[in-house]
Amino acid sequence: MTTQTIPTFSITGADPSPALRVRNLVVRYGRGKDAIHAVDRVDVDVSRGRTLGIIGESGSGKSTLVKAISGLAPVSEGTIEIISNSGTLRPASSSIGRGGQVQMIFQDPVLALNALRPVWQSVAEPMEPGRLITPRRLRADAVELLGQVGLGPEIADRRPTHMSGGQRQRVTIARAVASRAPLVMCDEPVAALDISLQAGVLKLLDDLRTKLKLTYVFISHDMTSIARIAHDVGVMYLGQLVEVGPVNEVLKRPRHPYTQALIRAVPRIRANAARMVPLEGEIPDARRPPSGCRFRTRCPFAQEICAQEKPQNEVLDDRTVDGRRHVTACHFWREIRDGKANYREESL
Ligand SMILES: Nc1ncnc2c1ncn2[C@@H]1O[C@H](COP(=O)(O)OP(=O)(O)O)[C@@H](O)[C@H]1O
Ligand code: SF4
Ligand SMILES: [Mg+2]
């Protein structure tokens, strides 16, 4: 088997229909030695009409990544290209909201909706710009959209506080798609919902993606949600991607010890769990990330080289699925795969 080292964490190689291309993205908060590199040289590819899941522990930079794509977090370095059918656009703060190319669905629907307004108005708001229509027609369109997310007309005049969490999240989804923005950033959209409601909202999101030809970046700290909705997945640790690939491939054959540890923690989906190491310790301080491989302080396979050299992105080309690549950055992924890596009780 041969492996290929690539400069970017590109899952797609030459993508025939890209919707989003992020290169070398850095989002820095603060200045000097206490600056936090919340996102530190991240590459992202999403093909039109697909869902890219991003998984990682809290504090790994997932929200910052999608906020930067939406124009809600500052881009310190790198490029973000949103590719529309008519050309290439770069988002700035103006790209969110009215008439924009990107919409966001947040974890907490209470914050996303105006508590004082009936929900139909929140849904209608992004529809308005440039449309010369009567308020009556606007309301009718909003009610129709609420119907598409499974909410009856009796809901339209309610305030968000008089609804269940699941209903509120459906309203925010209706609001997000009302703008007709083709790219939707979903930041833990089901994390605040009761487990019994999560599957329904995930299915709704997936149905809307197909029907309205949307493209999603879907963030979660929960591997089960990612497995349900994503086509591809990127695993993020301390501001960087450590593994990307088609979701089934990564779930069945995770190659990075961090991915393995995340999967090991989910009994329902873990594969070959006996050979995976548990995740121990805390995510390090983002102001002082470890040298070389950032995971080394928690990795039981870490060797001297892991402290000295950042591992390169390598394509696992024996497992390309429909032209989509499985890529990881670990000095010892082959040895770990073959059960030949040195296992240390205590990491460096
Ligand atoms: N507005 C901000 N100002 C300063 N630091 C921030 C800000 N937003 C996030 N961070 C920091 O950036 C890092 C990544 O945070 P975040 O993107 O929220 O991660 P996640 O969504 O994966 O939990 C964390 O260390 C967090 O404390
Ligand atoms: S073996 Fe080294 S490079 Fe691989 S994850 Fe562990 S510390 Fe990082
Ligand atoms: Mg977050």
Side-chain angles (χ1 to χ4, degrees):
M1 187 192 73
T2 56
T3 50
Q4 182 195 352
T5 301
I6 53 168
T8 65
F9 243 117
S10 167
I11 194 171
T12 48
D15 189 352
S17 59
L20 173 69
R21 194 188 296 128
V22 175
R23 289 289 176 270
N24 218 16
L25 181 69
V26 178
V27 178
R28 212 179 291 122
Y29 291 116
R31 285 170 184 271
K33 64 178 173 49
D34 277 341
I36 294 178
H37 289 69
V39 174
D40 200 5
R41 311 220 171 273
V42 164
D43 305 311
V44 170
D45 288 290
V46 196
S47 304
R48 194 169 305 286
R50 289 176 74 94
T51 300
L52 173 72
I54 302 279
I55 184 125
E57 289 163 287
S58 181
S60 52
K62 306 180 301 296
S63 293
T64 306
L65 171 64
V66 289
K67 282 183 186 159
I69 293 167
S70 306
L72 295 174
V75 174
S76 309
E77 288 177 49
T79 56
I80 298 169
E81 291 174 301
I82 296 167
I83 300 105
S84 65
N85 284 333
S86 53
T88 298
L89 298 172
R90 257 183 214 166
S93 49
S94 61
S95 68
I96 185 98
R98 294 167 182 265
Q101 293 288 308
V102 191
Q103 269 295 333
M104 266 193 85
I105 299 171
F106 295 97
Q107 175 177 341
D108 190 345
V110 175
L111 299 178
L113 299 172
N114 186 330
L116 302 175
R117 289 169 142 200
V119 293
W120 78 262
Q121 288 186 7
S122 292
V123 174
E125 190 189 26
M127 294 175 169
E128 263 175 289
R131 291 179 72 199
L132 294 171
I133 56 173
T134 61
R136 196 187 163 97
R137 174 75 198 283
L138 198 58
R139 187 181 185 287
D141 286 353
V143 169
E144 192 190 324
L145 202 47
L146 285 167
Q148 286 192 30
V149 298
L151 297 173
E154 72 284 358
I155 293 287
D157 290 309
R158 287 203 199 150
R159 305 279 185 278
T161 40
H162 292 105
M163 306 174 84
S164 70
Q167 287 173 327
R168 278 197 292 264
Q169 194 56 297
R170 284 173 187 266
V171 175
T172 61
I173 292 169
R175 181 180 151 86
V177 301
S179 69
R180 306 273 174 235
L183 202 51
V184 185
M185 304 290 116
C186 309
D187 190 356
E188 309 250 12
V190 297
L193 298 181
D194 193 277
I195 198 108
S196 60
L197 297 171
Q198 293 187 359
V201 173
L202 288 175
K203 181 167 187 317
L204 168 66
L205 282 168
D206 205 42
D207 290 348
L208 289 171
R209 178 187 56 78
T210 316
K211 194 167 156 195
L212 305 174
K213 300 187 170 50
L214 302 172
T215 302
Y216 292 155
V217 178
F218 183 96
I219 282 184
S220 185
H221 65 274
D222 168 31
M223 200 60 104
T224 319
S225 301
I226 297 274
R228 277 210 179 115
I229 197 162
H231 300 100
D232 304 311
V233 62
V235 183
M236 209 166 167
Y237 185 75
L238 209 54
Q240 298 181 334
L241 286 171
V242 297
E243 182 159 11
V244 298
V247 75
N248 290 335
E249 176 59 24
V250 171
L251 290 177
K252 277 198 206 123
R253 281 171 281 270
R255 293 300 181 221
H256 195 282
Y258 181 57
T259 317
Q260 295 187 351
L262 292 178
I263 291 174
R264 189 185 195 273
V266 189
R268 275 179 50 207
I269 54 174
R270 70 186 176 195
N272 305 319
R275 294 178 60 188
M276 299 180 193
V277 293
L279 188 59
E280 282 170 358
E282 300 280 310
I283 193 164
D285 184 343
R287 286 168 302 182
R288 286 167 196 79
S291 62
C293 172
R294 292 189 173 184
F295 189 55
R296 71 177 166 81
T297 53
R298 298 167 82 188
C299 180
F301 302 111
Q303 305 290 313
E304 216 44 60
I305 190 178
C306 304
Q308 289 156 4
E309 284 179 30
K310 184 178 187 298
Q312 308 245 335
N313 309 324
E314 287 186 45
V315 179
L316 286 62
D317 62 358
D318 57 335
R319 286 287 173 191
T320 298
V321 179
D322 298 335
R324 311 184 82 73
R325 313 192 283 195
H326 186 172
V327 187
T328 195
C330 168
H331 290 301
F332 296 108
W333 69 265
R334 284 181 208 79
E335 289 81 358
I336 294 167
R337 176 197 62 193
D338 299 340
K340 292 180 181 161
N342 287 331
Y343 184 88
R344 301 164 56 104
E345 287 298 326
E346 286 189 23
S347 37
L348 289 177

